[in-house]
Amino acid sequence: MIAIGIVFLVLLFIGAPIAFVIGISGFVFFLQSDIMPLSIGVQRIATMSQSFPLLAVPFFVLTGHLMNASGITERLFHFANVAVSWMAGGLAQVSVILSTLMGGVSGSAVAEAAMEARILGPSMLAQGYSKGFSAAVIAVTALITAVLPPSIGLILYGYVGNVSIGRLFMAGIIPGILMMIVMMVTIYIIARKRDYVAADARKPTAGELGRAMWGAKWALLFPVLLVFAIRGGVLTPSEVGAGAVIYAVVIGTLAHRELTPDRTLNAFREAISDIGMIMLIILMSGIVGFAITFLQVPQQLSGLLLGTISEPHLVVIAVLAFLFVIGLFLEGTVMMLLLTPIVVPIITSVGFDPVHFGILMMIVVTLGGMTPPVGVAMFTVCSLLNCRIESYTRESLPLIGAVLLLVLALLFMPGVVLFLPNLVF
């Protein structure tokens, strides 16, 4: 295992593509093993692709691109702008609402952050918001997208950890809403102190709010239909992904009449690029996952951890702290694939619900994308807004602190996270 770790770190340090970092590191295990032929590694790659639940990933990635091309994003932005732009920190509050609404569409925090940086970023800067504050709000609020269905990360966690994806989808709804509220309150406090209030701000009338909501009705209806389709047993999570693609095409062509052939082709082109990258990482992770299981790493870490800590909540806190530190250096998708097989046996051995833990892990792991030194969402937003990393880091601390306090609160309130899964299933 030490050799795998060394090769992994060296390749990561020299900037090799992450899929090849994982794949080459995994093959090192077979090359130095006397009892495992190299052909087993190739078989593990093929085995990772033979999964029905995994079909949800490419379908939901494609759905996100099709919905962006069909005018749904613009309608969600208009609704969010009408609903909360009158508050202190108006456009920053719009970012929070838009992230929440996009959580039911894109399923990707990085994609959502990039989209908001293009749509909201210039307007925030024009209204006098600092670059650091604008970038921090756009990047960190995208974290909400990661826990609301159809979250790509939750699909991967459920697939690798053998946890119900339907229950995970349900479990992410209340924490996602709570995260929205916590971030809105944090932004409101900061905006009041800095006088980030639009001079012409006014509350919308009921008619204005109703018209904006009606304009975004098809986007707002999508996550509701998704939940009912899974709960009613009409579709599995994988089949819901296929249904979501059909939904996006129908709405874009018949309802909004904006999904032209050129836009459709461009959406497929972007989706293929994203899917290829994600699936290559998933396939290569099968080799490392096999090595981790064969070397009994989860059992060894569990014995080490449980030998020093007996309180279940302290065990989970220790695991989450470990994930947070690792998340500062590794991309979230990679962490979900490589570390889920290690940590799930540990937390289940102390009697902790894997669905409850999955939501906490998803938040902490995705948060790494918003933090230095290698946060993907952070670099994406900062590059689009031409913002210095130092300024971003300073402004992001209050929001990150608020999120971590929420994670701690959710840890000790399992009923909040598991209320909907237990009610629905």
Side-chain angles (χ1 to χ4, degrees):
M1 194 65 193
I2 295 176
I4 296 176
I6 292 174
V7 172
F8 185 91
L9 292 175
V10 169
L11 292 174
L12 198 65
F13 179 76
I14 64 176
I18 191 64
F20 294 106
V21 171
I22 298 171
I24 295 172
S25 302
F27 274 114
V28 166
F29 164 75
F30 293 96
L31 290 173
Q32 67 174 8
S33 175
D34 296 328
I35 59 175
M36 284 291 171
L38 195 59
S39 59
I40 297 294
V42 179
Q43 292 174 13
R44 293 307 304 174
I45 295 177
T47 301
M48 287 295 289
S49 67
Q50 307 301 308
S51 169
F52 186 71
L54 200 59
L55 287 172
V57 174
F59 279 130
F60 279 124
V61 170
L62 177 58
T63 299
H65 286 289
L66 286 172
M67 287 193 168
N68 286 337
S70 65
I72 285 178
T73 300
E74 288 82 355
R75 287 165 173 79
L76 288 177
F77 170 71
H78 178 65
F79 170 65
N81 192 48
V82 170
V84 297
S85 62
W86 57 272
M87 300 173 63
L91 286 178
Q93 303 288 10
V94 171
S95 176
V96 181
I97 297 298
L98 189 57
S99 293
T100 306
L101 297 176
M102 287 298 294
V105 175
S106 72
S108 169
V110 176
E112 201 279 327
M115 179 273 297
E116 282 198 27
R118 295 187 184 96
I119 294 176
L120 277 176
S123 299
M124 292 180 72
L125 298 179
Q127 287 197 11
Y129 296 79
S130 70
K131 284 186 177 180
F133 179 76
S134 301
V137 167
I138 290 173
V140 179
T141 56
L143 183 63
I144 302 172
T145 305
V147 297
L148 291 171
S151 165
I152 302 300
L154 290 180
I155 295 172
L156 296 179
Y157 173 85
Y159 164 63
V160 178
N162 195 26
V163 181
S164 168
I165 296 176
R167 286 181 63 85
L168 286 168
F169 278 1
M170 293 295 103
I173 295 175
I174 293 179
I177 294 173
L178 291 176
M179 202 182 309
M180 176 193 76
I181 295 171
V182 166
M183 288 190 181
M184 289 185 73
V185 171
T186 304
I187 289 170
Y188 179 85
I189 295 172
I190 296 173
R192 293 292 294 181
K193 288 183 178 179
R194 301 184 184 180
D195 198 27
Y196 286 157
V197 181
D200 58 346
R202 67 174 182 83
K203 290 184 179 181
T205 64
E208 291 172 336
L209 189 61
R211 284 190 293 273
M213 183 180 294
W214 181 253
K217 59 183 179 296
W218 298 115
L220 299 175
L221 186 62
F222 172 67
V224 177
L225 293 176
L226 182 151
V227 168
F228 277 101
I230 294 176
R231 174 59 187 93
V234 179
L235 300 171
T236 67
S238 302
E239 294 166 343
V240 167
V245 172
I246 297 173
Y247 182 85
V249 171
V250 170
I251 297 304
T253 53
L254 300 182
H256 294 170
R257 300 182 184 277
E258 294 185 23
L259 193 61
T260 62
D262 287 342
R263 284 192 168 195
T264 303
L265 183 63
N266 189 54
F268 269 88
R269 186 181 296 113
E270 293 175 349
I272 289 171
S273 176
D274 290 346
I275 292 167
M277 176 187 65
I278 294 172
M279 296 306 292
L280 191 58
I281 293 174
I282 292 173
L283 297 182
M284 292 302 176
S285 70
I287 314 173
V288 177
F290 178 83
I292 289 172
T293 303
F294 182 81
L295 296 173
Q296 296 187 322
V297 174
Q299 291 85 341
Q300 294 176 23
L301 287 178
S302 178
L304 178 64
L305 195 60
L306 299 180
T308 56
I309 306 174
S310 58
E311 166 60 34
H313 288 96
L314 292 179
V315 172
V316 176
I317 289 174
V319 172
L320 291 175
F322 166 75
L323 292 172
F324 179 75
V325 173
I326 298 298
L328 299 177
F329 305 96
L330 284 182
E331 197 269 334
T333 302
V334 177
M335 289 183 61
M336 297 301 292
L337 291 168
L338 296 186
L339 299 182
T340 296
I342 297 176
V343 298
V344 169
I346 295 175
I347 61 102
T348 53
S349 66
V350 297
F352 205 84
D353 191 292
V355 173
H356 183 190
F357 177 78
I359 301 302
L360 303 181
M361 179 179 177
M362 192 68 240
I363 297 173
V364 171
V365 165
T366 308
L367 192 59
M370 290 83 184
T371 54
V374 293
V376 178
M378 174 190 70
F379 282 122
T380 301
V381 174
C382 286
S383 63
L384 289 172
L385 299 184
N386 193 26
C387 173
R388 293 176 61 86
I389 299 299
E390 296 85 352
S391 177
Y392 167 90
T393 303
R394 183 173 61 253
E395 296 283 9
S396 67
L397 290 177
L399 290 168
I400 293 174
V403 170
L404 292 177
L405 287 176
L406 176 63
V407 170
L408 192 61
L410 292 174
L411 170 63
F412 290 97
M413 295 188 295
V416 174
V417 180
L418 299 176
F419 173 74
L420 284 180
N422 291 338
L423 178 67
V424 172
F425 290 95

